[in-house]
Amino acid sequence: MRQQYGTQILGGILSSAVGSNTGNAVAQLAQTGFSFANLKYSRDNENEADYMGLIFAAMAGYDPQVAVSFWQRMAAGKTQAQSEFLSDHPSDATRIANLQKYMPEALKYYKK
């Protein structure tokens, strides 16, 4: 919200100082820049959710190792890969690597 208010204030100041077209264009450019910058936080949240989901699934008696093969099938079913930089979700390859990294801890909680 601070970023949104900041871009509105910046746009208002620039509109009165150099004209509304320039002020609006700069405010829109700043908002777009902030949107791209904030995508990383969404990816971080998704990675955390994957970790917690893996642990909770293992605690509930589900085999956490199935998550890796699930994401491998998801990746194989896609026709084109989207750049992780432009996405609010991690790429399938990143998800698979992270799940494999989290697996030893998840397996501590898994009881058949």
Side-chain angles (χ1 to χ4, degrees), residues 34-83:
F34 284 133
S35 294
F36 280 120
N38 291 334
L39 289 175
K40 181 198 180 311
Y41 298 112
S42 294
R43 288 189 302 272
D44 290 346
N45 292 341
E46 285 291 324
N47 284 326
E48 182 180 24
D50 287 347
Y51 168 76
M52 293 173 68
L54 198 64
I55 299 298
F56 292 149
M59 289 175 154
Y62 293 97
D63 185 356
Q65 297 174 92
V66 173
V68 174
S69 60
F70 169 81
W71 280 106
Q72 288 169 337
R73 287 191 310 274
M74 289 285 287
K78 291 189 177 173
T79 56
Q80 70 180 39
Q82 182 180 2
S83 169

